[in-house]
Amino acid sequence: MTSVDTIATTEQTSLDGKEGWRRLSPRMLLVHPVQEAIRLLPAIAGLIFASLQGGRHGYWGLLAGAVAMGLGILRYFTTSYRITATHVQVRRGFFRRRVLTVPRDRVRTVDVSAHLLHRLLGLARVTVGTGQTDKRNEGVKLDGVGAAAAENLHRELLHHTAVPAPATAATAEAGPEKADPEIELARLDPAWVRYGPFTLSGLVAIGVLVAFGQRFVNEGHVNVTQIGVVRRGIDQLSSVPLPLAILEVFAATVVFVAVASTVGYVLAFWGFRLTRHPSGTLHVRRGLITTRSTTIEERRLRGVEVSEPLLLRTVRGARVLGIATGLRVGRGAERGGSLLLPPAPRAEADRVAALVLGDSAAITAPLTPHGPRARRRRYTRALLFASLVVVAGALLGWSGRLPWWAVVASLALLPIAVLLAADRSASLGHAIADGALISRYGSVVRRRVVLRTDAVIGWNIRETFFQRRAGLATLVATTAGGNQRYPVLDVPADEALRLARAAVPGLLEQFVVAE
């Protein structure tokens, strides 16, 4: 659960005392205008195309972009920060001055990232996680800090070194002290790139291209059907039967997604390294063009999650995510700070998860299945949905609104539903081992969650109408880290109570009435 006093925002026109305030690096003045220009690329491309066609559209969009560039430059002159023995303070704003104050004992993580332009200019972006795991909250951000100063920041905040008091910008840019020795837990093996095509991260590239194309069309008033490549593609697809055209589009999409996913894997995880610092922190470093370094306090670690997406599971791969307060989990496991191991062999994922937890028993412990009633519920739900789709398709085919080959193809949903239900029921399981609650569930993404029982701060027991009829319930463990809610799905109702009592003795007793 989040704490309402983790971040205190104070609006005022001035602060008492000016000692120790640091500015962002002046080199950031070159970063923000370029970033805004990159965002305007679709508008610029559309404007150029429209100008070649004799149009005069898009100038207002460029004017708005110029204003955004100016505001980005103004950010340097209105942003400063300082670190005292007790607080981290960030001061920003021109028309409305705001001071963001974070108690140092609330700092949970420090995330240092640098994209290509940052690296060329020796800059970095620092995000200080404060334990607020809301998807809308991303902690304290400093975009445009010198790379050396960024390294010093995470040493000051998480390694508990002496707090420096730089009086000048030159002192703030000074290099970090010699790092303490670290223990390496995992390092990227180049052979793991073979798991790239099975991550489906290339679908994001398709989304980006579609968004870019849509803005290009809107800004430049472009008729895409008149572009040569698009026109030839449409003509080619029009010359073949519809099923063959669909197959061609599907094959081209699969190839593109596989290649883009592999490239994305290399860009995101090249140079990956997971280490443990003697001060009690974990460090994750990764990235080829955009580098990222995340520091996590181990005492804030609530558990781990071994995640196996369906395609990755077919090649016996998995990834490891951390459950900790202060980690940003709302942006996905690949981009968020919770990733402790990229897609890798399942055996390696188990090894790393055991090293992070300090014990392998919870990773390898056998699980208790949820029984035949939970299995029947999986088959009923899967087949009911598939049957409704098939019946709807048959009605549309009978009315002439859908070709009959599509109706026949929809029958394939029935065996797919059976396979999905079998996999989902086989995934269900739970256990308590070595002070950890273990829950496994899911098919499209199978998750094995290992949550420390001393991190559980509450229980939710949910029973829908159909669950009550089947004598089942969903037990949800509430914690302050990660997604904050981790379920044990469709467990027998009496087993849900026994499990909650065994995990955290005494927590439920005041709410349970003996029959």
Side-chain angles (χ1 to χ4, degrees):
M1 296 179 66
T2 59
S3 175
V4 295
D5 62 343
T6 299
I7 297 179
T9 303
T10 306
E11 297 174 11
Q12 55 190 32
T13 58
S14 63
L15 286 177
D16 295 331
K18 297 182 179 180
E19 298 81 4
W21 286 99
R22 320 177 194 180
R23 285 199 179 276
L24 302 176
S25 172
R27 295 190 295 273
M28 63 90 66
L29 293 172
L30 301 175
V31 175
H32 292 287
V34 174
Q35 288 178 333
E36 295 300 332
I38 292 175
R39 293 191 185 100
L40 289 172
L41 276 180
I44 295 173
L47 176 61
I48 293 174
F49 188 89
S51 299
L52 294 176
Q53 302 298 320
R56 299 181 59 84
H57 302 283
Y59 291 104
W60 285 109
L62 292 181
L63 178 61
V67 173
M69 290 182 189
L71 293 177
I73 294 174
L74 186 63
R75 190 180 306 171
Y76 168 75
F77 298 99
T78 59
T79 302
S80 57
Y81 68 97
R82 72 175 176 180
I83 300 175
T84 69
T86 57
H87 291 86
V88 179
Q89 293 180 311
V90 178
R91 179 170 62 183
R92 58 167 59 96
F94 181 72
F95 298 103
R96 184 186 181 191
R97 176 59 59 90
R98 304 180 69 222
V99 177
L100 189 65
T101 300
V102 178
R104 289 189 62 174
D105 58 3
R106 294 288 189 178
V107 174
R108 304 294 185 258
T109 62
V110 177
D111 193 346
V112 181
S113 60
H115 54 64
L116 180 59
L117 187 57
H118 274 136
R119 295 176 65 187
L120 291 175
L121 297 174
L123 300 175
R125 178 189 294 118
V126 180
T127 301
V128 180
T130 58
Q132 291 189 335
T133 53
D134 266 359
K135 294 177 175 60
R136 294 175 296 175
N137 183 280
E138 296 184 354
V140 179
K141 271 190 176 182
L142 294 170
D143 191 358
V145 180
E151 289 299 321
N152 273 334
L153 276 176
H154 87 74
R155 289 179 58 81
E156 290 177 35
L157 296 175
L158 289 181
H159 293 182
H160 308 294
T161 58
V163 179
T168 64
T171 310
E173 297 286 343
E177 301 175 7
K178 184 177 179 181
D180 294 330
E182 294 181 329
I183 302 173
E184 184 175 278
L185 303 183
R187 180 188 291 269
L188 180 74
D189 185 341
W192 297 352
V193 175
R194 69 182 184 272
Y195 293 103
F198 301 95
T199 62
L200 293 184
S201 59
L203 292 175
V204 178
I206 293 180
V208 171
L209 290 176
V210 170
F212 183 92
Q214 183 179 10
R215 188 171 179 187
F216 170 76
V217 169
N218 292 337
E219 296 288 348
H221 298 269
V222 179
N223 184 1
V224 292
T225 60
Q226 301 304 316
I227 300 176
V229 176
V230 178
R231 179 72 263 168
R232 288 192 294 271
I234 294 175
D235 292 340
Q236 199 278 331
L237 293 175
S238 301
S239 63
V240 299
L242 182 58
L244 183 58
I246 294 175
L247 184 61
E248 289 180 357
V249 172
F250 177 76
T253 303
V254 169
V255 172
F256 177 83
V257 169
V259 173
S261 298
T262 304
V263 173
Y265 186 98
V266 173
L267 294 178
F269 303 122
W270 195 258
F272 172 87
R273 191 165 175 258
L274 173 65
T275 58
R276 172 177 280 131
H277 195 277
S279 63
T281 57
L282 295 174
H283 298 277
V284 179
R285 299 177 180 88
R286 60 184 175 92
L288 181 62
I289 296 178
T290 298
T291 60
R292 183 169 189 174
S293 177
T294 304
T295 304
I296 308 168
E297 277 192 305
E298 287 195 87
R299 65 192 181 99
R300 307 296 180 184
L301 197 67
R302 303 297 182 239
V304 297
E305 175 186 315
V306 179
S307 174
E308 301 173 90
L310 182 60
L311 288 181
L312 194 58
R313 188 154 30 109
T314 60
V315 291
R316 301 187 61 80
R319 60 191 179 193
V320 180
L321 311 176
I323 302 174
T325 56
L327 290 180
R328 291 174 292 163
V329 298
R331 292 189 173 184
E334 304 293 1
R335 293 171 291 167
S338 59
L339 187 74
L340 297 180
L341 185 73
R346 173 59 195 268
E348 179 68 10
D350 290 343
R351 184 189 71 84
V352 171
L355 287 175
V356 170
L357 290 175
D359 190 357
S360 62
I363 301 299
T364 58
L367 302 181
T368 301
H370 290 187
R373 289 176 291 179
R375 183 166 53 250
R376 283 197 302 270
R377 179 171 164 81
R378 291 292 176 273
Y379 280 96
T380 300
R381 295 174 66 181
L383 287 173
L384 179 61
F385 175 78
S387 300
L388 289 176
V389 173
V390 170
V391 171
L395 292 176
L396 291 175
W398 178 75
S399 63
R401 298 180 181 179
L402 193 69
W404 280 106
W405 65 263
V407 177
V408 175
S410 69
L411 295 175
L413 290 176
L414 295 175
I416 292 175
V418 171
L419 293 176
L420 181 64
D423 188 56
R424 293 187 66 201
S425 62
S427 297
L428 290 178
H430 67 274
I432 295 178
D434 289 338
L437 172 67
I438 308 164
S439 173
R440 191 179 65 185
Y441 57 91
S443 179
V444 176
V445 179
R446 177 183 288 179
R447 309 176 192 275
R448 183 184 178 109
V449 175
V450 180
L451 183 65
R452 284 171 26 201
T453 54
D454 58 4
V456 177
I457 58 178
W459 298 104
N460 284 322
I461 300 179
R462 298 200 310 260
E463 292 178 295
T464 66
F465 172 78
F466 295 104
Q467 281 180 314
R468 289 197 302 271
R469 298 278 294 180
L472 301 174
T474 295
L475 177 67
V476 181
T478 304
T479 185
N483 290 321
Q484 302 181 348
R485 298 166 59 86
Y486 292 93
V488 182
L489 295 176
D490 283 343
V491 66
D494 54 348
E495 176 66 10
L497 289 176
R498 187 203 68 79
L499 190 63
R501 285 170 163 171
V504 187
L507 184 60
L508 280 184
E509 298 307 319
Q510 58 183 319
F511 305 106
V512 177
V513 178
E515 294 184 358

